[in-house]
Amino acid sequence: GIASSFINPCLAALTLASFGPKMFDSAMANNILWGHIGSAASAILAGSAAYVFYPNIKYCFFVIGGAALSAIFFVQLLPEGDPSIGRGFHGSPKSSDDDDESVTDYQNNDNMVQTCGCKADDQIAASYLSVFSERRTLILCVTGFFFHFANANVLLVLGELMGTDADDDDYDDNDDEKANRAAIPLIAGAILLAQGMMSITTVIGGRLTENGVGRKILFLVGLITLPIRCALIIYWKDAGSAYLLSTQVLDGIGGGFFSLIHPFIVADITFGSGRFNVIMGLTASSFGLGSTMSNFVGQMVVQNLGHVTSLSGSLVLSIVPIIVFSLFMPETLNTRGQDKALSDGASSTMEYNIIT
């Protein structure tokens, strides 16, 4: 929970700082794509280790630990970029006392800002109240909270149903060890199928946004997949593992569009205010809270009322973000850095010359 709360906002900030607001979408889509590919590779390796060394499934954590150590090594090689742009300002201008060598060369990137002979410290971010109370920010937080509240528990229930299917169909009632081992590739397969589909969705979504397709329609496509997925799992709960596993395609589409469009919308809303990182953190916290509550409440319902009731609850909850986002969220495409209210809140004593 702590790691995921830091990684995605920090990755978005580094991407914005290194590539600027106009190249942010394509660069961030590429980063997200490789994140999904890495998750798929991790699922293959960890699932294989757990299956081979069963019942000593603890060895799968060596795979995860090795991947984390590799990430720690390679993160040292990441460019820091312009910290001012990474915060959501228009750029980090040069002080009149600075040498020419200290000026970042933006001539090859038409979305960056030229120097203006003023100090970067003169840039003042918008107030926390102004960004926290911004209507689109609140809508995004509520939408993401309910989406994750409905979604996070579904994979757990799916795994339990597939494990039960393996127990009932392939083995005797007393052969629990073999049944539990058989469930490992099913769970790994569910994760692999979802991450593979997320990779495809990320590529498609990135191309669509480059061609001018709005954020709202793509985000809604991701949201709509969840109630369909829940309904199919309920309908196919006794149809066998293959049918249940196939529903992960919808999880991949939903998660792919959600994870791709989320940072785009935040950048659209906050760029120029200096509060990009704050809102990335705020929205990620809202999503994480929804996931935590989903796992806790959803499994409590499973324990007391059964899998179908838990999935039915997720289905009902999944309608809420669709209604909220479709009715109240405006389109943010082509609005990046143009929010008058937040720009006024992010006061500055200097003038910027933006290359167009």
Side-chain angles (χ1 to χ4, degrees), residues 330-353:
E331 177 58 62
T332 64
L333 182 66
N334 297 325
T335 64
R336 188 166 298 171
Q338 300 177 12
D339 190 292
K340 181 65 176 174
L342 291 183
S343 295
D344 290 343
S347 60
S348 175
T349 61
M350 53 191 170
E351 295 179 358
Y352 294 92
N353 295 316

Side-chain angles (χ1 to χ4, degrees), residues 204-243:
I204 295 174
R207 297 286 177 83
L208 290 174
T209 56
E210 288 177 0
N211 292 326
V213 177
R215 281 72 158 100
K216 186 170 183 176
I217 184 62
L218 296 178
F219 205 78
L220 278 172
V221 170
L223 297 178
I224 291 171
T225 61
L226 182 53
I228 299 174
R229 178 181 171 218
C230 292
L232 286 176
I233 295 174
I234 293 172
Y235 183 73
W236 284 337
K237 67 181 180 65
D238 298 319
S241 297
Y243 286 90

Side-chain angles (χ1 to χ4, degrees), residues 130-145:
S130 65
V131 292
F132 286 168
S133 60
E134 212 280 335
R135 177 171 172 266
R136 294 169 298 175
T137 299
L138 296 175
I139 293 170
L140 185 58
C141 286
V142 172
T143 299
F145 171 81

Side-chain angles (χ1 to χ4, degrees), residues 50-265:
Y51 187 81
V52 170
F53 294 107
Y54 189 88
N56 295 315
I57 61 173
K58 60 186 179 183
Y59 291 110
C60 73
F61 291 100
F62 286 104
V63 174
I64 301 172
L69 290 175
S70 299
I72 292 172
F73 171 77
F74 284 107
V75 77
Q76 308 299 319
L77 306 178
L78 291 176
E80 184 179 353
D82 187 327
S84 182
I85 294 178
R87 290 181 59 193
F89 284 118
H90 285 290
S92 181
K94 177 195 171 189
S95 170
S96 58
D97 296 330
D98 289 339
D99 295 329
D100 292 340
E101 290 81 2
S102 65
V103 182
T104 303
D105 182 10
Y106 296 135
Q107 293 179 355
N108 295 326
N109 194 343
D110 63 0
N111 65 309
M112 295 296 188
V113 181
Q114 289 181 326
T115 59
C116 66
C118 301
K119 294 183 178 180
D121 291 342
D122 290 334
Q123 299 179 95
I124 302 175
S127 68
Y128 287 110
L129 179 61
S130 65
V131 292
F132 286 168
S133 60
E134 212 280 335
R135 177 171 172 266
R136 294 169 298 175
T137 299
L138 296 175
I139 293 170
L140 185 58
C141 286
V142 172
T143 299
F145 171 81
F146 278 103
F147 176 80
H148 285 83
F149 191 13
N151 182 61
N153 176 61
V154 176
L155 180 59
L156 294 178
V157 176
L158 181 67
E160 292 162 1
L161 289 173
M162 290 192 298
T164 301
D165 179 67
D167 189 14
D168 291 342
D169 295 341
D170 299 332
Y171 302 101
D172 296 333
D173 291 338
N174 295 327
D175 207 354
D176 290 337
E177 181 175 330
K178 290 184 178 180
N180 291 334
R181 189 185 188 195
I184 293 174
L186 291 175
I187 299 300
I191 297 172
L192 178 61
L193 182 58
Q195 292 295 334
M197 199 64 212
M198 286 179 192
S199 300
I200 296 172
T201 302
T202 299
V203 173
I204 295 174
R207 297 286 177 83
L208 290 174
T209 56
E210 288 177 0
N211 292 326
V213 177
R215 281 72 158 100
K216 186 170 183 176
I217 184 62
L218 296 178
F219 205 78
L220 278 172
V221 170
L223 297 178
I224 291 171
T225 61
L226 182 53
I228 299 174
R229 178 181 171 218
C230 292
L232 286 176
I233 295 174
I234 293 172
Y235 183 73
W236 284 337
K237 67 181 180 65
D238 298 319
S241 297
Y243 286 90
L244 293 172
L245 189 62
S246 68
T247 62
Q248 283 298 96
V249 171
L250 292 171
D251 184 33
I253 297 173
F257 278 127
F258 192 102
S259 61
L260 176 69
I261 303 301
H262 164 226
F264 293 1
I265 294 177

Side-chain angles (χ1 to χ4, degrees), residues 277-333:
N277 297 330
V278 172
I279 301 306
M280 279 297 297
L282 176 65
T283 52
S285 298
S286 300
F287 304 165
L289 179 61
S291 297
T292 301
M293 292 183 62
S294 178
N295 291 328
F296 177 74
V297 176
Q299 289 302 295
M300 287 288 291
V301 174
V302 168
Q303 183 177 347
N304 293 283
L305 299 174
H307 295 99
V308 173
T309 303
S310 182
L311 287 169
S312 298
S314 291
L315 194 156
V316 173
L317 283 172
S318 66
I319 303 299
V320 176
I322 297 173
I323 295 174
V324 171
F325 197 83
S326 62
L327 293 181
F328 302 107
M329 188 68 174
E331 177 58 62
T332 64
L333 182 66

